Amino acid sequence: MDENVPVAVFWFRRDLRLDDNAGLYHALKSGLPVLLVFIFDRDILGKLEDKDDARVTFIHQTIIALDNELHKYGSSLLVLFDRPEQAWARLLNDYPIKAIYTNHDYEPAVKSRDEALGKLLGQHQIPFNTYKDQVIFEKDEVTKEDGKPYTVYSPYQRKWYQTLTPYYLQPYPNRKYFKSFFKTPPFIIPSLEQIGFEKSHRIFPAINYKHLISVYAETRDFPAIEGTTHIGLHLRFGTVSIRELAGAANSFNEKTWLNELVWREFYMMILHHFPQTVTQSFKPAYDRIEWINNESQFEAWCKGETGYPLVDAGMRELNATGYMHNRARMVAASFLTKDLLIDWRWGERYFARTLLDYEMASNVGGWQWAAGSGTDAAPYFRIFNPESQAKKFDPELKYIKKWVPEYADFSKYPKPIIEHASARERCLKVFKHALVP
């Protein structure tokens, strides 16, 4: 290792893989040895409430696996635990860096951080090169004819498919350039304890999805069936390529599964163009709703003790595994915002804390859809009936009995914390008061 040799730096973030990684590909082709860096951001980690946060364990395990693979090529991953601006000041001091490469992120705080870093690097005449990697189409690539962003999903989806060509699904051939990794003895990776966390014992899903694509349309709505791919965690942290997933769905000619990826890109596009929606309703009138925000009812919802078995099963699955079936997510979100009249932001924050596959754009978009306040959302008068939803999507009670075993004994199962029919009428009255002129 010669620390006087000029290098390019690739900064891993939510793209934790060596293959088919856009920013890494361009770094490897730069003609410079590529120093690979990951930063455990003190500011982000400091906001996490649980010291056994499973996502931190997943990231830590993944970067160790990355580092082990890099050893095969005489390289290693430099892992820092610091605030990014201080980490970069240290890196600029320790290495003759000629260029920095990374991939785009669309969350408002990260965009602001990248803009600040770009200005800092500009003062050192160091280019900061960023690339699209976690989506097929981003920002302004799929827009209306007048160049404005879509705010309704269906026309966005049609334009997305019209824009798609095989070019966009081609993987980046990173392996051809692995010889360009910066040669170094192994760096020491900080332990979980050194960054203030402890190991989670959650079980992480494998990347194993192709056998489910062809049956996804028939199985996806039934939570008792292993009918979904659980790929969200890997998409969130980039341990799988979006081009691989979209390409697989396209080759199966299975649009139902691919449409879920398009929804994800729709919400990322919305977040890019409307960053205020992280904390404000996309439809401003919805911020006039007089939420009740009963804290004891919110706690019952969080614990899965509402007296509505499908809601409770979903919440208990979430608390136990970090995952919740999408049908249960919709029912639980509708129940919180419509039946209990609790602000969607409360639910969004709880999911942000507990979901393994938490992704800001999709989570905010999904919660605003459920509340009716978002782009292309369900109308305010669409209120899921948790009992009829259970009968329709868990008719044999397999999912409910798995997560709410006491449901079989009515004397042990809690009584409903609210009566759905009257809660529905109350919701319609409150929403109409806020929304109807």
Side-chain angles (χ1 to χ4, degrees), residues 265-384:
E265 302 205 352
F266 176 70
Y267 282 140
M268 286 198 177
M269 179 274 296
I270 291 293
L271 183 65
H272 170 73
H273 286 286
F274 306 97
Q276 73 276 11
T277 56
V278 173
T279 56
Q280 300 172 31
S281 294
F282 182 85
K283 299 172 183 173
Y286 278 74
D287 282 334
R288 297 199 299 263
I289 291 171
E290 295 180 6
W291 304 104
I292 293 176
N293 292 339
N294 182 300
E295 291 190 8
S296 64
Q297 290 185 339
F298 179 67
E299 184 178 356
W301 177 84
C302 291
K303 291 180 176 179
E305 297 176 354
T306 67
Y308 286 91
L310 184 57
V311 174
D312 293 344
M315 296 305 296
R316 294 187 196 185
E317 180 187 27
L318 172 63
N319 293 333
T321 68
Y323 170 82
M324 193 199 302
H325 188 277
N326 189 57
R327 174 57 54 176
R329 291 189 198 196
M330 290 191 288
V331 175
S334 176
F335 185 81
L336 185 76
T337 56
K338 302 289 181 65
D339 288 61
L340 301 183
L341 282 178
I342 291 177
D343 194 328
W344 64 266
R345 283 158 280 234
W346 288 36
E348 197 278 333
R349 283 194 297 270
Y350 190 74
F351 275 23
R353 177 179 177 179
T354 51
L355 279 172
L356 284 179
D357 63 2
Y358 170 73
E359 198 287 314
M360 179 182 284
S362 296
N363 199 51
V364 168
W367 272 98
Q368 292 223 39
W369 180 90
S373 62
T375 172
D376 199 20
Y380 76 88
F381 48 81
R382 183 184 184 189
I383 302 171
F384 282 111

Side-chain angles (χ1 to χ4, degrees), residues 34-87:
V34 178
L35 173 65
L36 300 156
V37 170
F38 181 85
I39 302 170
F40 277 112
D41 187 332
R42 285 183 183 270
D43 291 332
I44 293 174
L45 294 183
K47 294 174 184 174
L48 298 178
E49 298 177 61
D50 305 305
K51 293 310 169 189
D52 63 344
D53 191 303
R55 294 163 296 192
V56 181
T57 296
F58 179 79
I59 293 169
H60 196 263
Q61 291 178 354
T62 301
I63 63 173
I64 289 174
L66 275 177
D67 187 56
N68 287 335
E69 186 167 355
L70 288 167
H71 294 172
K72 302 173 188 175
Y73 305 97
S75 189
S76 185
L77 178 62
L78 177 57
V79 179
L80 303 176
F81 173 45
D82 212 336
R83 292 182 175 84
E85 60 271 24
Q86 293 168 338

